[in-house]
Amino acid sequence: MPLVRIDALRADSERLDALGRAVHEALVETIGIPPDDHFQILTSHDGHRSTLRHGNYLGVRRDDGIVYVMIVMRAGRTADRKRALYRRIAELAEEYAGTEPRNVFVTVLENESVDWSLGHGEAQYAPG
């Protein structure tokens, strides 16, 4: 049950949708989430009232095409599956949204089953 947040600079609704599709498909393909497990927050920053900062950290030359992808999910995936996820997100972001792979910055935050309430004030993954 990942929760995905995607932030992009000056992205129209079409580009945001394409990025959301890219991340969701990559999660389905590499992590094995169900296709209807689709929770995303898509945000475009205008560069004035809100913006995104980036640098050339670790020799990756980013520019204003930067896209930040934050994925919160339950712990348990192997390092190899996460690497496959990052690679597939970058591939699909380029294919669907024209985002250069060097501009796709992904982070995964993991937590436990009890850290989720999907509605009704209940911990559906950890009832008790």
Side-chain angles (χ1 to χ4, degrees):
M1 200 332 278
L3 173 62
V4 175
R5 178 175 177 134
I6 300 171
D7 291 86
L9 195 56
R10 292 183 282 282
D12 59 18
S13 60
E14 195 172 289
R15 181 164 184 242
L16 283 175
D17 180 63
L19 290 166
R21 230 181 30 228
V23 172
H24 184 70
E25 286 183 24
L27 283 163
V28 170
E29 289 177 22
T30 63
I31 300 295
I33 69 164
D36 64 342
D37 188 347
H38 197 187
F39 298 92
Q40 297 184 333
I41 302 163
L42 308 174
T43 305
S44 178
H45 300 267
D46 65 10
H48 301 288
R49 290 186 310 265
S50 66
T51 194
L52 301 176
R53 302 279 186 231
H54 54 83
N56 292 330
Y57 184 66
L58 293 179
V60 180
R61 296 189 44 123
R62 298 166 195 86
D63 59 31
D64 282 352
I66 188 80
V67 172
Y68 289 107
V69 179
M70 183 184 303
I71 302 169
V72 182
M73 63 184 178
R74 292 182 290 163
R77 278 59 175 213
T78 66
D80 285 342
R81 291 190 77 172
K82 290 177 187 175
R83 287 184 194 99
L85 172 65
Y86 306 148
R87 189 171 34 258
R88 192 63 177 143
I89 289 173
E91 291 168 355
L92 292 175
E94 182 174 37
E95 181 180 337
Y96 295 168
T99 301
E100 295 180 55
R102 68 186 173 92
N103 279 322
V104 179
F105 184 110
V106 181
T107 187
V108 170
L109 305 171
E110 294 182 314
N111 58 23
E112 301 301 320
S113 294
V114 73
D115 296 319
W116 295 88
S117 174
L118 308 179
H120 298 292
E122 299 172 10
Q124 285 85 353
Y125 292 135

